[in-house]
């Protein structure tokens, strides 16, 4: 399912020129690299101890796909807000964004009395939530004739995130938790749900999907100034 999706999205700007073929090949490579890198890196998400920590936790260096450990000393999940931004309460006994609205059935992994790995529910080589959302974005691009369609993605994003079983990851970053806190608790329309804690959202939370959107927009609009401007606009 993944291969046709990426291939279809990468060739929407049909052309027989060598330059276009090279651009398509680069886009495919970038996307495949994203998915491979995501699956390779998930076992060491938020590891700050370098090779020593990796070897201690996994019995040696990682040379391929590996299942993330079930627990992780120093994980911030036990201190994270299950119902909104950043750090906060587990909200025991309450209906919360994590577990009830998104990441269905995964609230137990945010328990403050434990220290679960961010992606301990994934199998070796299985994609994280962010990579799953990159696939959702690429699907809407393919269905929109190669265009980055914010409205189409927004609808697909809400449907994917709120559908039980759509992914197997236990972690969801602040940007997602804030979005769905606004959507579920404040009953805002999806277009008004993006939010910002002026910390997490401005850093790692904001890198993955915009990078994919920019790459696709640049490819769609060709090399040179037009492609660069489209990437910035995306």
């Amino acid at each position: 399912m993944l291969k046709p999706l990426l291939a279809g999205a990468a060739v929407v700007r049909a052309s027989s020129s060598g330059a276009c073929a090279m651009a398509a090949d680069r886009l495919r490579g970038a996307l495949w690299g994203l998915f491979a890198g995501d699956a390779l890196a998930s076992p060491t998400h938020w590891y700050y101890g370098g090779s020593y920590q990796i070897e201690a936790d996994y019995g040696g260096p990682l040379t391929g796909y590996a299942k993330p450990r079930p627990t992780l000393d120093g994980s911030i999940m036990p201190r994270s807000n299950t119902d909104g931004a950043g750090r906060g309460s587990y909200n025991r006994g309450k209906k919360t964004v994590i577990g009830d609205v998104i990441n269905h059935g995964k609230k137990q992994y945010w328990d403050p009395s434990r220290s679960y790995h961010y992606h301990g529910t994934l199998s070796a080589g299985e994609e994280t939530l962010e990579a799953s959302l990159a696939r959702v974005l690429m699907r809407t691009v393919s269905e929109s004739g190669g265009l980055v369609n914010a409205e189409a993605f927004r609808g697909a994003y809400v449907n994917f995130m709120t559908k039980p079983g759509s992914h197997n990851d236990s972690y969801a970053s602040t940007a997602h938790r804030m979005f769905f806190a606004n959507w579920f608790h404040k009953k805002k329309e999806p277009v008004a749900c993006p939010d910002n804690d002026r910390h997490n959202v401005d850093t790692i939370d904001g890198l993955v999907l915009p990078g994919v959107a920019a790459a696709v927009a640049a490819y769609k609009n060709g090399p040179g100034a037009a492609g660069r401007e489209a990437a910035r606009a995306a």
Side-chain angles (χ1 to χ4, degrees):
M1 178 170 143
L2 179 58
K3 186 172 182 178
L5 169 64
L6 296 184
V11 298
V12 288
R13 187 166 60 89
S15 171
S16 59
S17 72
C20 183
M22 181 180 292
D25 184 64
R26 287 176 174 175
L27 179 58
R28 290 190 190 95
L31 292 169
W32 279 115
L34 182 156
F35 291 110
D38 172 83
L40 285 167
S42 65
T44 60
H45 186 176
W46 270 319
Y47 270 48
Y48 298 110
S51 59
Y52 175 82
Q53 184 181 9
I54 294 171
E55 292 176 10
D57 280 357
Y58 292 98
L62 294 178
T63 58
Y65 297 121
K67 177 174 174 54
R69 286 171 50 87
T71 59
L72 172 63
D73 291 342
S75 171
I76 64 165
M77 284 179 68
R79 299 189 292 276
S80 295
N81 187 359
T82 60
D83 210 31
R87 310 296 182 265
S89 173
Y90 181 65
N91 299 291
R92 193 179 302 276
K94 293 174 59 179
K95 190 170 185 177
T96 55
V97 169
I98 294 294
D100 295 298
V101 182
I102 65 174
N103 292 52
H104 301 85
K106 300 297 195 297
K107 185 176 178 178
Q108 60 181 307
Y109 298 104
W110 299 61
D111 190 329
S113 68
R114 305 295 299 273
S115 189
Y116 287 107
H117 191 291
Y118 307 98
H119 309 294
T121 53
L122 300 181
S123 300
E126 190 173 5
E127 65 196 26
T128 68
L129 171 58
E130 296 303 325
S132 294
L133 289 173
R135 291 179 62 184
V136 173
L137 173 59
M138 292 306 302
R139 189 175 297 113
T140 64
V141 167
S142 184
E143 292 170 352
S144 300
L147 297 174
V148 178
N149 185 323
E151 184 176 358
F153 174 68
R154 195 179 298 118
Y157 168 69
V158 171
N159 289 338
F160 179 86
M161 293 292 283
T162 58
K163 180 181 179 181
S166 61
H167 67 91
N168 192 36
D169 207 353
S170 52
Y171 183 69
S173 64
T174 293
H176 303 307
R177 303 195 313 265
M178 293 186 78
F179 183 103
F180 284 100
N182 287 330
W183 183 80
F184 179 70
H185 293 299
K186 298 181 180 179
K187 309 301 181 186
K188 291 184 177 182
E189 291 297 317
V191 69
C193 287
D195 214 332
N196 196 339
D197 67 343
R198 307 298 173 189
H199 174 56
N200 297 288
V201 176
D202 284 340
T203 54
I204 193 66
D205 280 11
L207 290 178
V208 180
L209 293 176
V212 175
V216 170
Y219 170 75
K220 175 67 176 176
N221 287 272
R228 291 193 295 271
E229 181 57 34
R232 284 190 289 267

